[in-house]
Amino acid sequence: MAIFCKVVDNYGDVGICWRMARQLQHEHGVAVELWVDDLHSFRRICPDVVTDAETQQVAGVTVRHWHSQDGEFEAADVADIVIEFFGCDIPEGYIAAMVECEPRPVWLNLEGLTAEEWVEGCHTLPSSHPRLPLTKHFFFPGFTAKTGGLLVEAALDERRRQFQADPAAMAGFLGHLGLSAADIAAQKVSMFCYPHAPVAALFAAWERGAEPVACLVPEGVAADAVRAFLGAEPVAGAVASRGALTVRVLPFVPQPDYDKLLWACDLNFVRGEDSFVRAQWAGKPFVWHIYPQDENLHHKKLRAFLQRYAGGLDGLTAFSLYWNGAGADGGTGEPHSAALWSALRAEMPAIVARAADWQRQILENGDMTGNLLKFSRLIQSVKHETRV
């Protein structure tokens, strides 16, 4: 199998593709070539990646540096299943080589995640190439049985349960990241968001609050707000406390450790798609900062998800809309953040209960990687029957 990934959202695109590639190799025994155009972003979440290598083996996956759309390929270079992530336009030379294959490969466009209902009608739809005898199918992850489901490894929930049931393991993990005993005892919040989130106003609300809050921010995230709070450059290891709030800058960690961070925190702010999905498997309250789109189309996607997930959770809904600039009243600033935070904080026990119900619900749809592989093999069998 070949997976082509162009890094658009810094870490989310390659994060999804890397998780899927590892799962295909480890759980299904599928040989995978992962083509990535930005190895520097890749290395932030996978330190084993060598940024100047053309081809390398990482965790059993062949990683290839995808320089451009150019290049000559032969039929022998083409995988039996070809996946382009989010319409990234694989090389024309590779497409031409696909035509020469017999049988021709299964070609899938793995689309972005949305809770909107229309994806159910588009999932697995075929699309013929305008010039060549090739057909591409659209594969949509999603939240219902009529979609491809969500990416989740077979042993993920068991690992989470074991970790969360071991306070010493959690304390040791957080201590390794630099947290003090006071930080660990506080309300722990991981912060992963886009630059336009109202982080400074929320910091001000936490600072003046009655409850100790330890906010853990990856290096480079919310840089302006973190710099202003620290009074210094927000480099990994930097920390400052004011009032009830402590802000600590963390280095980027490998994906397995990011999962542990989500599991160990009381509330997770996540963004894009990859961390958004992982927060759902963490079973903890989370606030999603959706990737911005022109004409605020992302607000429609946000509301579609909240309608599925947050029914009856008015505090979570109001805070999520505010966090994404979609609040009905348009309020901003520390007083508004404080009021919304108070409502969200009071609702967190109910959100935890909802998170457990939600996990059971979406697990019924199967895992995205397994569903994608099953669909690919179905297409392969149809191709075989057609040839016979």
Side-chain angles (χ1 to χ4, degrees):
M1 180 182 291
I3 303 172
F4 286 84
C5 174
K6 275 193 174 181
V7 178
V8 177
D9 182 18
N10 294 314
Y11 315 108
D13 303 312
V14 70
I16 294 165
C17 293
W18 178 229
R19 291 187 194 278
M20 183 172 65
R22 295 203 317 276
Q23 187 181 6
L24 284 163
Q25 200 279 328
H26 295 165
E27 294 184 16
H28 300 281
V30 175
V32 180
E33 286 187 341
L34 176 58
W35 295 75
V36 181
D37 68 335
D38 182 354
L39 295 181
H40 291 278
S41 289
F42 192 1
R43 192 175 190 278
R44 297 291 297 277
I45 61 171
C46 181
D48 291 337
V49 168
V50 178
T51 57
D52 59 355
E54 293 298 309
T55 303
Q56 57 192 297
Q57 290 290 317
V58 185
V61 174
T62 300
V63 176
R64 297 191 184 278
H65 190 186
W66 181 13
H67 287 288
S68 70
Q69 299 285 31
D70 301 323
E72 295 183 1
F73 298 88
E74 298 179 358
D77 301 320
V78 176
D80 59 345
I81 302 172
V82 179
I83 298 174
E84 58 181 48
F85 181 72
F86 208 26
C88 63
D89 294 330
I90 62 179
E92 288 295 328
Y94 199 94
I95 295 174
M98 289 165 64
V99 177
E100 303 302 319
C101 295
E102 185 58 40
R104 295 189 178 107
V106 175
W107 183 9
L108 302 178
N109 182 358
L110 178 57
E111 286 283 357
L113 175 64
T114 179
E116 295 168 291
E117 291 184 1
W118 64 264
V119 302
E120 294 183 342
C122 297
H123 178 54
T124 70
L125 281 182
S127 174
S128 298
H129 193 280
R131 294 180 292 100
L132 302 174
L134 293 170
T135 299
K136 175 166 57 177
H137 288 80
F138 294 93
F139 195 93
F140 283 85
F143 303 99
T144 74
K146 295 181 180 180
T147 67
L150 299 182
L151 195 155
V152 55
E153 304 91 305
L156 181 66
D157 193 56
E158 180 60 28
R159 293 201 304 269
R160 175 185 69 86
R161 291 178 183 275
Q162 290 180 357
F163 182 78
Q164 291 178 334
D166 188 343
M170 283 201 290
F173 170 75
L174 293 171
H176 181 71
L177 292 178
L179 274 71
S180 67
D183 293 337
I184 295 172
Q187 183 80 8
K188 296 178 291 298
V189 179
S190 73
M191 177 65 68
F192 193 39
C193 62
Y194 295 111
H196 58 282
V199 176
L202 186 57
F203 279 1
W206 284 339
E207 179 185 342
R208 294 174 175 82
E211 178 183 35
V213 174
C215 183
L216 313 176
V217 189
E219 186 176 20
V221 172
D224 291 343
V226 174
R227 183 183 296 106
F229 186 88
L230 296 176
E233 285 303 305
V235 296
V239 61
S241 298
R242 221 166 41 232
L245 174 62
T246 297
V247 173
R248 185 178 295 275
V249 181
L250 303 182
F252 262 77
V253 295
Q255 284 183 328
D257 283 349
Y258 182 67
D259 282 330
K260 289 181 179 180
L261 180 65
L262 296 176
W263 300 343
C265 286
D266 302 293
L267 172 66
N268 296 301
F269 286 80
V270 292
R271 77 183 199 190
E273 182 173 330
D274 183 53
S275 60
F276 169 51
V277 172
R278 302 313 278 193
Q280 292 172 63
W281 297 127
K284 295 293 188 75
F286 67 90
V287 175
W288 181 29
H289 202 202
I290 188 170
Y291 187 76
Q293 293 180 294
D294 293 339
E295 300 180 356
N296 287 330
L297 292 178
H298 57 297
H299 289 169
K300 184 178 180 180
K301 294 183 178 181
L302 173 65
R303 288 188 171 93
F305 174 74
L306 291 174
Q307 186 175 7
R308 291 187 185 275
Y309 181 83
L313 299 171
D314 295 340
L316 175 60
T317 296
F319 194 98
S320 298
L321 293 173
Y322 160 72
W323 194 246
N324 286 275
D329 57 7
T332 58
E334 185 272 330
H336 197 63
S337 281
L340 291 171
W341 165 248
S342 180
L344 175 62
R345 181 67 184 91
E347 205 172 65
M348 281 172 61
I351 300 173
V352 172
R354 172 56 178 150
D357 290 340
W358 179 253
Q359 284 184 333
R360 287 190 288 269
Q361 177 183 330
I362 55 180
L363 275 172
E364 292 177 357
N365 303 322
D367 76 281
M368 186 197 78
T369 301
N371 290 339
L372 183 147
L373 196 57
K374 187 183 303 181
F375 176 70
S376 298
R377 287 172 174 164
L378 175 63
I379 298 299
Q380 286 174 328
S381 68
V382 171
K383 289 176 181 288
H384 175 74
E385 292 173 2
T386 302
R387 292 199 318 277
V388 173

